Amino acid sequence: MPDRVGFIGLGIMGRPMALNLKHAGYELAVHARRPESMAPLAAVGASTWASPTDVARHADVIFTMVSDTADVEQVILGPGGVLEGAAPGTVVVDMSSISASASRVIAARLAERGLAMLDAPVSGGEIGAIEGTLSIMVGGEAAVFARVRPLFEVLGRNIVHVGGSGAGQVCKSCNQIVVGATIAGVAEAILLARAAGVDPARVREALLGGFAGSRILEVHGQRMIDDQFAPGFKARLHQKDMRIVGEVAHDLGLGLPGAAACAQYLNALVARGLGELDSAAIYKVLESMNSGHTAGDD
């Protein structure tokens, strides 16, 4: 008999992921802080519940997809949380992007009660969530990963068991370094093309065919050219992820200047009240820094 599935957190990523699980035929119980967020799931037959505890009572595998470490701790360990309702043998799969050390602590608390946990953050943005093509990076026990893999295959295309508890979160930090640095590089390239009086759309087209080609150049480069920054991944969440990168680097005694620069771009973007835009809007920070240069200037 297939696992009953719970899903907690129905935001820009969680809602399409939960819908994909329901469309795949799984019995689904959901919870979100805002009742209106649950309406699309209720419309396709998911059961809606007033608390994470209630979801846990009706699920064998429970996914969480919320904003930050404190939110995950509250949803899983806090009053009305998953721990209060989950039976021994339940698997909790946290797909949020949080601190690896906090993830390990939560996993240990769950293990004390006979529950297993996987940390399984994702990359691919809203489009990947909708299309079920996310990259999923997983930490936890191999046997638990094997049990949950059929559910992961509904949600993503590139699914990698990275290592033990917390390894998925470390991998996500690595992902965010690469994504952030590449967004900044693409933004600088688009800015340079415009300032030099060269069509940035043609530059992007040319670069896509060579070693500079990337998914970020393809998608976010177009956003920059069009000045359209509706969020696939909100800048304030990327800012939070880069804060976690900085904390991990500090704990390890590592100097990561590229990651630090990206964090500052995101800090500036959020400080301007633009944290709800896609993180590709880093371009707007660079544009503002260079506002004295117009197309064709020397």
Side-chain angles (χ1 to χ4, degrees):
M1 184 176 183
D3 283 316
R4 299 172 303 160
V5 178
F7 210 105
I8 299 166
L10 301 172
I12 194 170
M13 298 289 288
R15 187 181 309 152
M17 293 165 71
L19 283 167
N20 285 340
L21 288 165
K22 182 59 183 171
H23 292 322
Y26 287 95
E27 182 181 340
L28 185 66
V30 301
H31 168 75
R33 284 180 291 191
R34 294 179 299 168
E36 59 268 27
S37 297
M38 295 188 281
L41 279 303
V44 295
S47 61
T48 60
W49 299 95
S51 72
T53 297
D54 293 328
V55 170
R57 290 177 178 140
H58 296 86
D60 308 304
V61 177
I62 303 161
F63 291 90
T64 56
M65 185 56 141
V66 294
S67 295
D68 205 344
T69 301
D71 299 306
V72 177
E73 291 170 338
Q74 177 65 32
V75 160
I76 296 177
L77 304 178
V82 168
L83 189 58
E84 292 185 359
T90 300
V91 178
V92 177
V93 183
D94 179 39
M95 306 193 84
S96 319
S97 297
I98 69 169
S99 158
S101 59
S103 188
R104 293 186 188 105
V105 169
I106 295 168
R109 289 279 305 277
L110 292 174
E112 291 171 359
R113 299 281 291 273
L115 282 66
M117 180 175 171
L118 299 174
D119 49 286
V122 302
S123 180
E126 183 185 17
I127 293 172
I130 292 169
E131 296 179 351
T133 57
L134 293 167
S135 177
I136 306 175
M137 43 210 92
V138 187
E141 295 182 6
V144 180
F145 171 72
R147 173 180 169 183
V148 177
R149 181 161 191 135
L151 294 165
F152 286 145
E153 289 174 347
V154 174
L155 304 173
R157 189 168 291 168
N158 184 50
I159 304 157
V160 180
H161 181 226
V162 182
S165 182
Q169 296 296 349
V170 172
C171 187
K172 181 59 185 285
S173 287
C174 296
N175 180 86
Q176 297 305 75
I177 293 170
V178 174
V179 168
T182 308
I183 288 174
V186 169
E188 290 184 3
I190 298 296
L191 188 68
L192 177 63
R194 279 190 166 139
V198 176
D199 184 353
R202 293 295 183 91
V203 169
R204 171 182 167 276
E205 181 183 357
L207 296 182
L208 281 171
F211 239 35
S214 70
R215 182 70 171 157
I216 288 172
L217 177 62
E218 179 185 354
V219 175
H220 292 318
Q222 191 64 54
R223 290 177 188 269
M224 295 169 193
I225 290 166
D226 295 339
D227 196 33
Q228 296 293 326
F229 298 107
F233 182 63
K234 293 179 180 180
R236 63 177 177 82
L237 297 178
H238 201 165
Q239 179 197 37
K240 175 264 300 181
D241 290 349
M242 296 310 295
R243 186 195 75 231
I244 292 171
V245 168
E247 290 168 355
V248 174
H250 179 271
D251 290 345
L252 295 171
L254 294 177
L256 302 177
C262 176
Q264 290 303 314
Y265 289 141
L266 290 162
N267 288 345
L269 189 61
V270 173
R272 292 175 62 188
L274 301 176
E276 296 298 305
L277 296 182
D278 192 273
S279 53
I282 281 174
Y283 178 82
K284 299 185 77 66
V285 174
L286 282 162
E287 187 178 50
S288 179
M289 288 168 56
N290 292 278
S291 59
H293 295 271
T294 57
D297 282 351
D298 291 329

